[in-house]
Amino acid sequence: MKLSVLDLAPVPDGSSFADALRNSADLAQHAEALGYERYWLAEHHNMPGIASAATPLVIQHVAAATRTIRVGAGGIMLPNHAPLVVAEQFGTLATLFPGRIDLGLGRAPGTDQPTMRALRRYMAGAETFPDDVVELLGFLGDATDGQVHAFPGQGTHVPVWILGSSTFGAQLAAYLGLPYAFASHFAPDFLHQAAATYRAQFRPSAWLDKPYFMMGMGCFAAETDEEARFLRTSMQQTFANLRLGRPGKLQPPVRDYETRFAPSVRAGVDHALSCSATGGPETLRAEFLRVTADLHPDEVILATQVFDHAARKRSYAIAAEVLRGL
């Protein structure tokens, strides 16, 4: 089972966007040295605690700081963009960093309605997602007789993934014969159903001859269970504040998280983060096996938002040591 890193370029309270982007490059170098398979960044907008809004630029920043690890988008929210522009951006990245670029595509806008309008998407976006994916695949494939081509992009064959949190993406990935990644690190409800649907309906394609399934998982590792649970409270506060409509920067961990939010809010956060492994090495291993036992993913991508950068790096180091080879 391969292990990878999902990074939202979090901005800790008291730090800057520049700090967050430097941390992403440093964490990517760390992940590369630890043997992680890929390092993905995600597109979000109008979020003061996330520095990866201009996702292709951050991918370039990270790829330039590393040598061998695959770098990509997990994902690009395709309703926000014209397929040709995405093909040109990722064709350029693939030209600069041959054999190292991935393109994960999401159907959600990754933001709110006012921001969607600011992104100039006045027409329907999510409804045309399947057609947009097919168009994008065409731009990245071999030359055709069409009048419009992606330069760079044409012939780069950048690996395209479908991302999702429901069975819709699973069905589309299966139909097109593409790898599929499920966002279980924050939306676990349809995880088992989507995995089964994808594998059952998969059709071999020029891109992939058999299904390849990745699942997202929260991961908070430390030397002890108590310290890992403490580090996790930064992520729990982020999710709680989002549910309360007050997004902000990543907050320091706290010892009194349970008293800061209403039980109903905490219950929602616990459910959203239920596909997580938290603890010292032995507990981390047991929780990881529990979550993945019935799914047998080909790859797990770990999302670890920890306030202290050194502690975040240590979490990924412990995870690599404990989980590799399972």
Side-chain angles (χ1 to χ4, degrees), residues 66-270:
T66 53
R67 295 183 299 112
T68 58
I69 194 169
R70 297 193 66 88
V71 185
I76 291 295
M77 302 297 104
L78 195 52
N80 299 336
H81 311 282
L84 176 62
V85 173
V86 177
E88 291 170 340
Q89 291 172 343
F90 279 80
T92 301
L93 287 168
T95 302
L96 291 170
F97 308 101
R100 293 182 56 206
I101 300 300
D102 297 324
L103 172 54
L105 300 173
R107 185 167 65 116
T111 189
D112 51 38
Q113 291 288 335
T115 309
M116 284 179 63
R117 289 192 291 272
L119 289 164
R120 305 294 190 264
R121 293 298 290 187
Y122 298 108
M123 304 297 290
E127 294 81 359
T128 64
F129 181 70
D131 292 334
D132 288 346
V133 172
V134 171
E135 184 180 7
L136 178 53
L137 289 171
F139 286 135
L140 295 172
D142 294 325
T144 66
D145 295 331
Q147 292 182 315
V148 180
H149 303 272
F151 299 125
Q154 180 179 292
T156 56
H157 299 281
V158 175
V160 173
W161 294 64
I162 299 298
L163 314 182
S165 57
S166 70
T167 57
F168 178 90
Q171 291 171 323
L172 180 61
Y175 180 79
L176 296 176
L178 298 174
Y180 178 56
F182 192 87
S184 36
H185 58 291
F186 72 89
D189 286 346
F190 296 98
L191 171 60
H192 287 77
Q193 185 179 352
T197 297
Y198 171 64
R199 287 167 170 154
Q201 298 182 11
F202 182 84
R203 307 190 316 171
S205 70
W207 301 87
L208 198 63
D209 60 355
K210 61 181 181 180
Y212 192 93
F213 175 65
M214 177 199 285
M215 60 177 285
M217 180 184 294
C219 183
F220 306 89
E223 305 300 334
T224 66
D225 291 357
E226 180 182 5
E227 181 65 13
R229 289 192 294 267
F230 175 63
L231 295 176
R232 188 188 188 200
T233 61
S234 292
M235 188 68 167
Q236 290 171 310
Q237 291 177 80
T238 293
F239 272 56
N241 284 323
L242 283 174
R243 288 173 175 271
L244 293 170
R246 52 191 196 201
K249 292 186 174 182
L250 188 66
Q251 295 301 301
V254 294
R255 300 289 181 188
D256 59 346
Y257 163 74
E258 288 78 10
T259 67
R260 293 188 176 217
F261 300 95
S264 59
V265 174
R266 287 189 281 111
V269 171
D270 289 345

